Amino acid sequence: MAISVEEVRYIARLARLEFSEEEERMLAEQMSEILDYVAKLNELDTRDVPPMSHVLDLYNVFREDVVEQRISHEDALRNAPDADSDYFRVPKVIE
């Protein structure tokens, strides 16, 4: 399927893009090649191919949500470079 330069200009205007005349000719050629390739793919018989959402057999890879023991307040503050009894102490960043 051949795409004309006028069609490229129309699409570019819709996308608010500007191209030089050389770029418009190049894009018309490239878009025509893409559409020719898609047309070739449409020649394949896919009646016996089940629909899929991905080319690989994927399944849910997420782990189950499991309630686990949280670390204690003391353990959280143990590796802090500076802390008081309840909080991490950090340098002041706002004046």
Side-chain angles (χ1 to χ4, degrees), residues 5-21 23-24 27 31:
V5 173
E6 288 77 27
E7 289 171 311
V8 170
R9 286 182 186 138
Y10 175 72
I11 295 167
R13 187 174 54 81
L14 290 175
R16 297 179 187 208
L17 299 172
E18 293 183 17
F19 298 108
S20 67
E21 288 184 18
E23 289 172 321
E24 290 173 345
L27 285 169
M31 292 170 84

Side-chain angles (χ1 to χ4, degrees), residues 66-73 75:
V66 178
V67 177
E68 296 180 359
Q69 180 64 35
R70 297 174 61 175
I71 73 169
S72 70
H73 195 80
D75 288 340

Side-chain angles (χ1 to χ4, degrees), residues 26-49:
M26 182 182 66
L27 285 169
E29 183 179 315
Q30 290 176 349
M31 292 170 84
S32 296
E33 289 174 7
I34 291 169
L35 292 176
D36 288 342
Y37 182 73
V38 171
K40 185 171 276 302
L41 290 176
N42 284 333
E43 295 174 6
L44 295 173
D45 181 18
T46 58
R47 281 179 287 180
D48 296 328
V49 177

